[in-house]
Amino acid sequence: MMSPNHLSDDRASPPPHHFRHTPLQIIHVVANFLRIWSIYSMFRYLSQTGASVVLFLFACLAPAAILFLILQKPWKGRPLSNTQVVPSIINGFITALYLVLWGKGLKSCGPVRAILGEYSGAVLGVLSGVLYGRRSNLWKKIGGLIAMSASFYLLSEGWATATYSPFYILTHFVIISFLNSIEESEAQKEHVLGLKHMLVPIIAGILSALRRVIARRVSIKNQLKRRLHALTIASATCFMFPIAMWDVIIGSPSESNGKLPFSAWAFFSTILFGNIVIFYADSIAEERLHMVFSSPRHLIAASACIIVMEIVYRMDFSLTGFVICSLILGFGIYEATSLERNRKDSTRKSDLLNEEFDNPIEMSSLPT
């Protein structure tokens, strides 16, 4: 007969849910850090060389599309239907438009505003509450929208910069004591943009959220999602090609006409970390950690990476002002996505129940 101790060992509970997902969380944070690092290297490259934003993005997107096609091979396996291919091509157009606007916003507004502007996609949560008639959470979503607007307004007024932040003295002292050897003349001064200039990264963030929603609606299974993403990036490259060629031929007064100086790290990091690695990391976070891009947890990880990169690159940065803007933005996202968060919690509970039923306790048969 089985001993009571052996029976209790067989019935021992599995490790806690958060302990099992700790390696995945570390991978996700590291991937986001590398992606943000690539954004800062891209910003420095564009600001120092004056190269065309669209041409640089196209030169990075084309190799990424080729790598996605090689990795996923969407032409193999089960044939894709037109109801899946056509929305993916349309999603490629949205992706190309998002990249162009986001690149322009990065060069004009700086990395902090461009990265935080991507979280404006939580506005779609407010629209979903209005369209689907969720009146119970409507006021929460409106309050979240007001908080997000206040955060973007403070960012546009320069609260995240040491030059225009009301907490300039405290932040400047912290940065000086941390770096030990930085002079005020060496700091990269930024200027107050105004909310009108912030509209470019905000619209880019809404388009980014829209392309993610379309990708979720079209692809149900994870493998199908990756195959369709390869088609989306390939179609985005095709849509961006005429815009890049127009920049080569015509150019703009503020950018060098037809010139694209080469920088190995800027191109390599944008291709690998800014396009490929971050897609697989976000897919793992969404599938296993139930963490979408426009979520407070994702914002916390990105904010920590931004603080590190702002200090390393010696940007015009106010730690206190940035933390306040991030907290207000995180609160707005939390309230604006209340309905989606409840759905994800119920989905997570059902997934845990399914795991318990799929892994029954192995026990020996009782003696007759």
Side-chain angles (χ1 to χ4, degrees):
M1 294 181 61
M2 295 177 58
S3 63
N5 293 333
H6 186 66
L7 181 62
S8 62
D9 291 340
D10 287 340
R11 291 183 178 179
S13 59
H17 184 72
H18 58 277
F19 284 127
R20 289 184 297 168
H21 288 164
T22 299
L24 298 178
Q25 292 173 351
I26 295 175
I27 292 174
H28 184 253
V29 171
V30 171
N32 276 274
F33 176 78
L34 293 175
R35 189 239 177 184
I36 292 176
W37 189 3
S38 69
I39 291 174
Y40 275 84
S41 63
M42 173 184 172
F43 172 73
R44 172 161 291 187
Y45 170 81
L46 293 175
S47 59
Q48 290 181 351
T49 62
S52 170
V53 175
V54 179
L55 190 58
F56 176 85
L57 291 175
F58 174 76
C60 296
L61 191 63
I66 295 173
L67 290 175
F68 273 122
L69 291 175
I70 294 174
L71 292 173
Q72 299 304 326
K73 298 181 177 63
W75 55 85
K76 289 188 177 181
R78 185 177 180 180
L80 301 173
S81 62
N82 290 331
T83 57
Q84 297 167 338
V85 175
V86 174
S88 298
I89 296 176
I90 297 175
N91 206 14
F93 172 77
I94 297 176
T95 302
L97 183 59
Y98 147 70
L99 289 174
V100 172
L101 292 178
W102 181 83
K104 297 288 186 180
L106 174 65
K107 189 171 184 178
S108 61
C109 300
V112 173
R113 301 182 182 102
I115 295 172
L116 294 185
E118 291 182 308
Y119 293 92
S120 62
V123 174
L124 296 180
V126 182
L127 297 179
S128 66
V130 175
L131 295 177
Y132 291 103
R134 307 286 182 176
R135 301 298 179 184
S136 59
N137 294 319
L138 182 59
W139 289 110
K140 282 188 175 182
K141 292 179 176 293
I142 293 177
L145 180 61
I146 294 174
M148 292 172 59
S149 301
S151 175
F152 290 133
Y153 173 76
L154 296 179
L155 285 172
S156 65
E157 291 298 316
W159 273 46
T161 62
T163 304
Y164 300 101
S165 174
F167 312 98
Y168 170 77
I169 298 177
L170 176 62
T171 307
H172 189 68
F173 175 76
V174 171
I175 295 178
I176 290 291
S177 60
F178 185 82
L179 296 177
N180 294 324
S181 60
I182 181 173
E183 298 179 359
E184 185 176 357
S185 60
E186 294 178 356
Q188 185 176 355
K189 301 295 182 181
E190 294 190 16
H191 55 281
V192 175
L193 296 174
L195 196 57
K196 185 175 73 171
H197 292 85
M198 275 293 297
L199 288 177
V200 176
I202 289 175
I203 295 174
I206 296 175
L207 290 176
S208 177
L210 179 61
R211 70 188 180 94
R212 295 174 190 273
V213 170
I214 294 176
R216 292 193 200 104
R217 293 293 182 267
V218 175
S219 57
I220 300 176
K221 296 182 179 180
N222 300 332
Q223 185 62 30
L224 179 61
K225 176 182 177 180
R226 296 184 178 95
R227 293 174 64 192
L228 293 177
H229 181 75
L231 293 178
T232 299
I233 297 300
S235 61
T237 306
C238 296
F239 283 117
M240 193 179 290
F241 175 75
I243 306 176
M245 293 302 101
W246 179 265
D247 255 18
V248 171
I249 299 173
I250 304 299
S252 61
S254 61
E255 296 174 348
S256 55
N257 296 337
K259 294 181 180 179
L260 190 64
F262 181 74
S263 174
W265 173 247
F267 281 93
F268 175 79
S269 61
T270 305
I271 294 170
L272 185 60
F273 304 133
N275 289 282
I276 299 175
V277 174
I278 193 61
F279 167 73
Y280 291 107
D282 284 342
S283 297
I284 293 174
E286 187 173 346
E287 297 159 10
R288 303 293 299 277
L289 303 177
H290 303 280
M291 182 195 303
V292 296
F293 184 85
S294 296
S295 64
R297 286 195 298 166
H298 199 288
L299 176 62
I300 291 173
S303 298
C305 299
I306 289 174
I307 292 173
V308 173
M309 297 311 300
E310 285 284 321
I311 295 175
V312 170
Y313 276 80
R314 298 187 177 186
M315 305 292 286
D316 188 10
F317 180 63
S318 169
L319 179 61
T320 309
F322 173 78
V323 170
I324 291 175
C325 294
S326 298
L327 288 177
I328 298 175
L329 180 59
F331 173 77
I333 293 174
Y334 183 84
E335 294 296 327
T337 59
S338 58
L339 177 61
E340 289 75 7
R341 185 173 60 255
N342 294 333
R343 289 179 178 176
K344 291 180 182 67
D345 291 339
S346 61
T347 304
R348 185 182 306 174
K349 291 179 181 178
S350 63
D351 291 341
L352 291 176
L353 291 176
N354 291 334
E355 289 180 3
E356 292 179 0
F357 284 117
D358 291 340
N359 299 313
I361 300 175
E362 295 181 1
M363 296 179 60
S364 61
S365 58
L366 293 175
T368 56

